[in-house]
Amino acid sequence: MQLTKNFSYEELTASPTAKRLGIDNSPPADVVAALTRLVAAVLDPLRQAWGAPIYVTSGYRCAALNRAVGGVPHSQHILGEAADVTTGSRDGNRRLWQLLRRLDLPVDQVINEHNYQWLHISYGPRHRRHYFSLNP
């Protein structure tokens, strides 16, 4: 099922870890609505401006999956408000970060994870436009 032109329900809920551990990662209706808002407000406009694919490496995570992958207890992934994305390269992810800043989309948080290994992008009711890096 397509949520928007460029992103599908399946790619925002798929998880190799859930599959391997037998975790049902099917979101409830309110989470599907939140995922749709995330994609429509941020990911689709970003993809259009980027002009090339953006890959979701982690979208929705039910509580059990979030625990299994070591996510923070109150992760926006659980609410359907966040996705980890990549262009396929650290250099591309760095340029995507810069594009996000220029576009000034209504993000809540954008986190550069592990020196641009991926970007965590969230969209929720706060729209803080908070950009920071987590680089151990």
Side-chain angles (χ1 to χ4, degrees):
M1 169 177 80
Q2 285 297 119
L3 294 175
T4 62
K5 178 182 174 185
N6 295 300
F7 294 93
S8 70
Y9 169 87
E10 290 78 16
E11 71 186 300
L12 284 154
T13 59
S15 168
T17 301
K19 187 173 182 175
R20 181 173 43 82
L21 297 176
I23 297 171
D24 180 3
N25 195 45
S26 302
D30 61 325
V31 171
V32 174
L35 287 169
T36 303
R37 288 189 299 270
L38 165 68
V39 172
V42 179
L43 297 183
D44 240 16
L46 178 61
R47 166 59 176 85
Q48 288 299 112
W50 181 246
I54 296 170
Y55 306 100
V56 176
T57 60
S58 183
Y60 168 69
R61 298 182 202 144
C62 67
L65 177 58
N66 193 60
R67 283 190 300 277
V69 300
V72 297
H74 299 290
S75 171
Q76 287 180 287
H77 286 277
I78 296 170
L79 303 173
E81 296 177 351
D84 296 338
V85 302
T86 184
T87 63
S89 73
R90 287 179 188 225
D91 181 60
N93 294 342
R94 184 176 26 72
R95 289 185 286 122
L96 191 65
W97 165 284
Q98 294 165 345
L99 177 60
L100 266 164
R101 302 283 312 235
R102 283 194 310 274
L103 292 173
D104 194 34
L105 295 170
V107 298
D108 186 40
Q109 294 183 325
V110 179
I111 306 171
N112 159 19
E113 301 262 7
H114 306 281
N115 195 27
Y116 297 102
Q117 189 171 349
W118 70 87
L119 299 179
H120 167 95
I121 301 173
S122 68
Y123 173 84
R126 295 176 284 190
H127 308 298
R128 295 176 287 181
R129 289 178 168 88
H130 188 201
Y131 287 77
F132 62 98
S133 298
L134 291 178
N135 296 306

